[in-house]
Amino acid sequence: MESLARRSILNLNKYVQGTTFEQVKKQYNLDNITKLSSNENPHGPSERAFKAIEEHSKNVSVYPDGSYQDLKERLSKLNNLDVNNIVLGNGSDELIKLLLAAFLNPGEKVITADITFSVYKHACTMMDGEIVKVPLKNFTHDLNGILDAITPNTKMIFICNPNNPTGTIVTHEQVQSFLDKLPSEVIVVFDEAYCEYVSSPNFPNTLEFIRQGYPVVSLRTFSKLYGLAGLRVGYGFAPKEVVDIIEKVRVPFNVNLIGYKAALASLDDTFHTKFSIKENNNGKVYLKNELEKLGLEVEPTEANFLLINVKGDDLKVTEELIKRGVIVRSGSHLGIKGYIRVTIGRREDNERLVEALSKINFQF
Ligand SMILES: *Cc1c(COP(=O)(O)O)cnc(C)c1O
């Protein structure tokens, strides 16, 4: 049957998800598990989202408003961009796919960092594009290296900011200078899934670049800070012309009714988002201190996850942590051997991680 598949599919691998609760529960016979592997909000969504989910559960026999007007208007007001600059997706993962489906011709090139979110490459390959990887510099996107890699065949550049899995950012000033040197006819997509967690004052204001007419797309999501990963709602800001082209390739009701209503409700709860950000900052400091006491090196992060240098076999460390009921992501699966990526959890999650790591003998 393989020969029947579209040729570009032959080069694809299925997405390998981090270990799930159920797998660990079964395999190690544990009932209390701390999942720090997918950067979800450990505090869950807003109570208002729960209420909206309950309230609208009785309406699920009816299609949602396929123009998603209410949510677009809320996002428009909050971000000071026109509703015509907004597109919604079944998670921002879908928006990445839609961007490539809408813009990439076979053989055209997409530039990404060498260590970054895996979905860009997957979506590019599926559309018969060619991925060009520019190595990170000090774990950070090398914007000059990316400029050097551009050819007449380059259509799109993905910059994951903060970068998953390294947690680093490029700054507003760097992006300004980068955009000013960019040849025309290249679209730059900033994947800002973790932007709400950033504390650096130098984080780029990508919406300002869009207002000024740069060919910039800014992708956001309700999966991380807003705690709605299971409902799959992402959104993007872009020039109106870009939005119009994406609208041509999306399926009619790509965002489900419950996700849509929950997203709308969760935008109102700034108490919950502020709380989540504050707890994340506290957890970041706590983990850095405690992990350094154990002799581990922790990379600085602007996101809700940390990259930890375990100075050894990260797969083994990941396995040892799972045995103790803590799920993390091994660097080997993210293209960065010798490290693990851990989501910053609630206080009790972080304590459990530290406790588990303290029990592991790192002399593998
Ligand atoms: C989690 C994540 C997303 C979000 O994906 P959704 O499809 O919105 O859940 C996007 N980009 C990066 C880099 C992420 O880590």
Side-chain angles (χ1 to χ4, degrees):
M1 282 302 204
E2 203 172 75
S3 62
L4 295 182
R6 189 178 147 158
R7 275 190 297 282
S8 64
I9 309 297
L10 299 176
N11 300 321
L12 288 180
N13 294 315
K14 278 197 286 191
Y15 179 76
V16 183
Q17 188 181 13
T19 318
T20 65
F21 277 108
E22 282 65 29
Q23 288 165 339
V24 175
K25 273 184 195 166
K26 255 199 203 137
Q27 194 175 350
Y28 296 103
N29 204 14
L30 293 160
D31 42 34
N32 178 7
I33 288 160
T34 299
K35 184 172 181 291
L36 302 176
S37 54
S38 302
N39 306 336
E40 295 122 332
N41 185 339
H43 308 286
S46 159
E47 283 299 327
R48 299 188 196 198
F50 282 127
K51 250 178 89 186
I53 291 167
E54 215 176 286
E55 197 180 314
H56 289 281
S57 64
K58 59 180 181 293
N59 302 329
V60 294
S61 60
V62 179
Y63 285 112
D65 160 24
S67 70
Y68 304 112
Q69 201 59 21
D70 292 349
L71 184 52
K72 282 188 184 175
E73 274 170 19
R74 274 293 279 137
L75 291 169
S76 162
K77 281 214 184 73
L78 282 173
N79 296 283
N80 192 24
L81 270 168
D82 196 82
V83 285
N84 295 325
N85 293 116
I86 302 171
V87 60
L88 301 184
N90 183 27
S92 50
D93 282 353
E94 189 199 20
L95 291 170
I96 295 167
K97 227 174 183 172
L98 292 179
L99 273 162
L100 292 164
F103 286 95
L104 205 69
N105 291 300
E108 286 183 334
K109 290 182 181 167
V110 173
I111 303 179
T112 70
D114 60 340
I115 299 167
T116 190
F117 195 46
S118 65
V119 173
Y120 319 131
K121 180 175 182 222
H122 183 271
C124 167
T125 308
M126 204 162 101
M127 296 317 300
D128 290 295
E130 204 181 300
I131 204 92
V132 176
K133 291 191 173 184
V134 173
L136 294 175
K137 236 184 192 171
N138 298 324
F139 281 160
T140 308
H141 277 82
D142 173 12
L143 295 181
N144 289 324
I146 290 174
L147 282 174
D148 290 341
I150 295 174
T151 67
N153 222 3
T154 304
K155 176 59 69 67
M156 203 171 279
I157 299 170
F158 282 91
I159 296 172
C160 187
N161 205 32
N163 189 38
N164 179 3
T166 57
T168 54
I169 62 162
V170 288
T171 67
H172 190 86
E173 208 178 311
Q174 289 166 343
V175 170
Q176 175 81 66
S177 138
F178 170 77
L179 291 174
D180 287 334
K181 291 179 198 142
L182 198 71
S184 56
E185 326 223 301
V186 179
I187 297 170
V188 187
V189 182
F190 290 90
D191 183 344
E192 301 181 319
Y194 302 97
C195 64
E196 301 92 347
Y197 286 107
V198 172
S199 43
S200 164
N202 302 320
F203 189 68
N205 183 345
T206 48
L207 305 192
E208 190 51 37
F209 292 126
I210 294 170
R211 282 182 212 106
Q212 290 171 10
Y214 287 97
V216 162
V217 178
S218 162
L219 298 181
R220 311 283 176 90
T221 183
F222 285 95
S223 297
K224 303 291 155 63
L225 177 66
Y226 292 98
L228 297 174
L231 290 180
R232 318 298 308 122
V233 188
Y235 58 107
F237 299 102
K240 178 180 182 302
E241 297 78 2
V242 171
V243 170
D244 287 345
I245 296 169
I246 297 174
E247 286 290 341
K248 290 189 189 192
V249 294
R250 78 166 175 92
V251 296
F253 305 100
N254 59 336
V255 176
N256 72 83
L257 176 78
I258 298 295
Y260 172 58
K261 296 292 185 183
L264 196 51
S266 66
L267 278 175
D268 291 330
D269 195 348
T270 50
F271 181 84
H272 183 68
T273 50
K274 278 187 189 150
F275 166 78
S276 300
I277 292 167
K278 192 166 141 260
E279 284 296 300
N280 186 65
N281 287 333
N282 293 341
K284 197 191 292 188
V285 174
Y286 169 81
L287 281 174
K288 185 175 158 62
N289 288 338
E290 296 302 314
L291 296 174
E292 282 177 355
K293 280 188 212 159
L294 297 178
L296 298 170
E297 269 168 36
V298 181
E299 295 299 322
T301 183
E302 290 286 349
N304 68 342
F305 55 83
L306 286 173
L307 198 59
I308 303 168
N309 185 347
V310 297
K311 300 177 184 169
D313 185 344
D314 58 278
L315 288 170
K316 191 89 174 100
V317 173
T318 303
E319 186 64 25
E320 290 296 317
L321 285 173
I322 286 180
K323 285 184 197 161
R324 293 167 173 82
V326 182
I327 313 178
V328 303
R329 201 82 156 113
S330 71
S332 291
H333 284 126
L334 302 167
I336 185 159
K337 261 197 161 98
Y339 289 79
I340 57 173
R341 189 196 67 195
V342 304
T343 307
I344 298 167
R346 298 166 303 171
R347 178 73 185 208
E348 58 265 41
D349 305 323
N350 300 334
E351 284 171 357
R352 188 173 183 186
L353 171 71
V354 171
E355 165 76 11
L357 279 169
S358 76
K359 295 273 167 56
I360 296 176
N361 175 4
F362 283 90
Q363 316 304 319
F364 301 125

